[in-house]
């Protein structure tokens, strides 16, 4: 089966209709395509974990729901997406997973659709068990071992003896479950399991780095421990040697599938004489007869062992630095591509580089500035004010034609009389506001105020219009409203 199935497309369409972008992205990241989840979908989900308004339980439940599918491809990709968010997402995601009683119940999963389904079902069961153990480890120690600070002042180097003896077994359990994935190079045959193996590989080297630093701290404190603590410490160290052999085999598989040799750390074995020194010290505490050993010999053996384990820790640090450098280079390449794309867009459409709302634009190296209008300046004379008002009235024919004024309305004690309609070929009103408002002493009647058609000199009843009184503003305005026809054509309400 290749490509997205009809079910994938229908499910994505349903989430598009409901408006759930997270559910749609989870669906697209866990399609039936036999390939790892696409990076753009994983990046979107990572960004969602960093947003405070995103419901983390809903995101996790959506991934859990996808693991109930019968197809091994969908289930495997759901586990891979969940692991990716646990490693690279916000810590809130793994905190929520650690707070749940159960995560993935896939111990009996089996895809019987084909031979490949049978093979991949085995790795799905192992992979789900590791993710469950990873969440349980976080619940026990409240941090992720793959993200802790390392070095001489790291978490595992500075913890006290009691807490150290409780913490190292938790790392051992997580390491055991990871190594139980137990895949060979010839079984990494598709993109889905390859994506999961890469995440497991990165977890393995970081987890073993924390494990290694815990052992260094244990060895430095071993000869100062009590008898019970020394017995626990010796048992922990023996298990560490066994797991070092298993992790070496795991790294060989990684090298066979094409992982760069520089990304694989070098493991330095501690001298075998150290184990003998630890056993003899415990026997001496138990009262058994042992060979005499001076403090100087024990110190030299311990220092050589710590030095070899420290070299292993340095190789892990180099791998981390190389990965960080690769991530930075990838980000810089992406930014460079975006800048080049933006420059091409600006070259095609140079007008988009300027802002339309800006009064100053720079095109072709010249600055074009439009004169600004002073809205609050004082007019220089009354003629300019009169001219502006006349121009405003000249615009009236462009609007709807006014309705006749009601004869029942009064203004200033006078009844406003309706005016007849203007002829269609009228060019507007020509009003001399200076004469109306008394600026011109010679204007004492309506004929000198309004220049309109001859029909406006008489009211519809044939009565002479009221005379204007220059010193009475209310009367003048009342007569003006009653006798002026504002515009021509049909009246408006």
């Amino acid at each position: 089966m290749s490509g997205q199935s009809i079910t994938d497309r229908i499910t994505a369409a349903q989430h598009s209709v409901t408006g759930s972008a997270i559910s749609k992205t989870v669906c697209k990241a866990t399609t039936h395509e036999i390939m790892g989840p696409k990076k753009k979908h994983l990046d979107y989900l990572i960004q969602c974990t960093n947003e405070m308004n995103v419901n983390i339980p809903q995101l996790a439940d959506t991934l859990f729901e996808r693991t109930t599918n019968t197809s091994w491809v969908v289930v495997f990709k759901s586990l891979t997406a969940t692991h990716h968010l646990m490693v690279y997402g916000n810590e809130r995601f793994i905190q929520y997973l650690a707070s749940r009683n159960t995560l993935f119940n896939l111990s009996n999963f089996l895809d019987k659709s084909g031979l490949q389904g049978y093979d991949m079902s085995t790795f799905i069961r192992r992979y789900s068990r590791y993710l469950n153990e990873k969440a349980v480890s976080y619940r026990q120690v409240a941090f992720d071992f793959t993200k802790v600070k390392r070095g001489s002042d790291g978490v595992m180097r500075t913890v006290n003896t009691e807490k150290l003896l409780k913490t190292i077994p938790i790392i051992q359990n997580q390491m055991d479950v990871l190594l139980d994935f137990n895949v060979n190079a010839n079984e990494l045959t598709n993109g889905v399991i390859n994506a999961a193996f890469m995440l497991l590989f990165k977890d393995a080297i970081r987890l073993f780095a924390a494990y290694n630093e815990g052992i260094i701290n244990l060895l430095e404190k071993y000869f100062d421990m009590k008898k019970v603590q020394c017995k626990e410490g010796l048992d922990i160290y023996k298990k560490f040697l066994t797991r070092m052999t298993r992790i070496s085999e795991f790294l060989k598989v990684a090298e066979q599938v094409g992982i760069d040799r520089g990304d694989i750390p070098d493991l330095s074995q501690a001298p075998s004489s150290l184990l003998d020194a630890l056993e003899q010290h415990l026997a001496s505490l138990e009262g058994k007869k042992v060979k005499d050993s001076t403090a100087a010999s024990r110190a030299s053996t311990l220092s050589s062992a710590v030095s070899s384990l420290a070299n292993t820790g340095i190789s892990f640090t180099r791998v981390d630095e190389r990965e960080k450098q690769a991530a930075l280079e990838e980000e810089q390449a992406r930014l460079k591509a975006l800048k080049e794309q933006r420059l091409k867009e600006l070259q095609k459409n140079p007008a988009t580089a300027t802002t339309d709302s800006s009064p100053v634009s720079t095109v072709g190296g010249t600055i074009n500035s439009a004169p600004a209008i002073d809205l609050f300046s004082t007019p220089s004379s009354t003629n300019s004010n009169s001219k502006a008002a006349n121009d405003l009235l000249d615009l009236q024919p462009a609007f709807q034609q006014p309705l006749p004024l009601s004869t029942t309305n009064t203004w200033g004690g006078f009844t406003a009389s309706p005016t007849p309609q203007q002829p269609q070929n009228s060019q507007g009103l020509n009003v001399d506001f200076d004469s109306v408002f008394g600026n011109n002493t010679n204007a004492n009647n309506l004929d000198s105020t309004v220049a309109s058609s001859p029909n406006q000199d008489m009211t519809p009843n044939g009565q002479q219009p009221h005379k204007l009184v220059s010193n009475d503003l209310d009367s003048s305005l009342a007569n003006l409203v009653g006798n002026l026809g504002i515009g021509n054509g049909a009246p408006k309400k």
Side-chain angles (χ1 to χ4, degrees), residues 73 92-93 107 171 184 191 311 319 322 341 344 349 351 411 445 454 483:
V73 181
R92 294 189 303 149
F93 185 78
S107 57
I171 302 179
N184 297 322
N311 292 333
V319 171
R322 181 166 179 170
Q341 182 180 0
K344 291 179 181 179
N349 300 319
W411 186 12
N445 53 51
N483 293 288

Side-chain angles (χ1 to χ4, degrees), residues 290-312:
V290 295
K291 295 185 300 181
D292 294 335
S293 60
T294 62
S297 62
R298 289 188 303 179
S300 62
T301 303
L302 180 62
S303 63
S304 62
V306 170
S307 177
S308 61
L309 294 178
N311 292 333
T312 302

Side-chain angles (χ1 to χ4, degrees), residues 105-133:
N105 187 15
L106 299 173
S107 57
N108 297 322
F109 178 80
L110 182 61
D111 186 353
K112 301 179 181 180
S113 60
L115 181 61
Q116 192 176 25
Y118 277 96
D119 296 337
M120 294 296 109
S121 296
T122 302
F123 296 108
I124 287 176
R125 294 192 294 268
R126 297 173 182 174
Y127 194 25
S128 64
R129 190 162 60 251
Y130 169 71
L131 295 182
N132 289 339
E133 186 64 31

